[in-house]
Amino acid sequence: MVGAVAGAVVAAARPLYIPLFTPDHAVRVLLSGVLLLAAAYQPVSGVVFVLDGVLMGAGDNRFLAVASVLTTGVFLVCAYASLRAGGGLTGLWLAIGAFMLARLVVLGVRARTTAWTVIGARR
């Protein structure tokens, strides 16, 4: 819920804070679109950050390390493809969205198992 509210605030308040970044009209237009993407990602990002914290707290560090490398690979492939296609800044933010969705899937699947839950000391 907090992610949805944060996304709504980011999207709705854009006209108020975009002028603080630059007086350049072209940059403002570009930033307006990118901020809509950032706003849309807030609910997914909120869940990802909670799952990261839960798995860190559970000491599931090895899994998190592997998941981070794999999902960063998703970002790199998407970012490279976007830049090759001329996607520019918007394309990079789409790649960030793909990264967050990949993290949501990987961490969500892990959280649904009991592999990360350990009672007592590990041997």
Side-chain angles (χ1 to χ4, degrees):
M1 290 302 291
V2 173
V5 171
V9 169
V10 168
R14 287 176 306 137
L16 300 174
Y17 63 83
I18 287 177
L20 300 174
F21 290 103
T22 180
D24 187 293
H25 178 71
V27 174
R28 286 182 180 184
V29 170
L30 182 62
L31 187 56
S32 182
V34 167
L35 286 169
L36 280 178
L37 290 174
Y41 299 156
Q42 293 308 302
V44 170
S45 298
V47 174
V48 167
F49 297 150
V50 167
L51 290 174
D52 267 335
V54 168
L55 295 175
M56 281 180 212
D60 202 12
N61 299 325
R62 181 171 290 136
F63 171 81
L64 286 170
V66 171
S68 294
V69 169
L70 293 176
T71 55
T72 298
V74 169
F75 167 76
L76 291 173
V77 168
C78 291
Y80 178 76
S82 172
L83 291 175
R84 293 277 297 163
L89 184 61
T90 301
L92 287 175
W93 272 92
L94 289 170
I96 290 171
F99 167 74
M100 276 299 171
L101 287 173
R103 287 200 60 80
L104 178 65
V105 169
V106 170
L107 298 179
V109 167
R110 182 63 165 194
R112 290 190 170 273
T113 71
T114 58
W116 61 275
T117 58
V118 177
I119 299 174
R122 290 188 183 194
R123 292 181 180 208

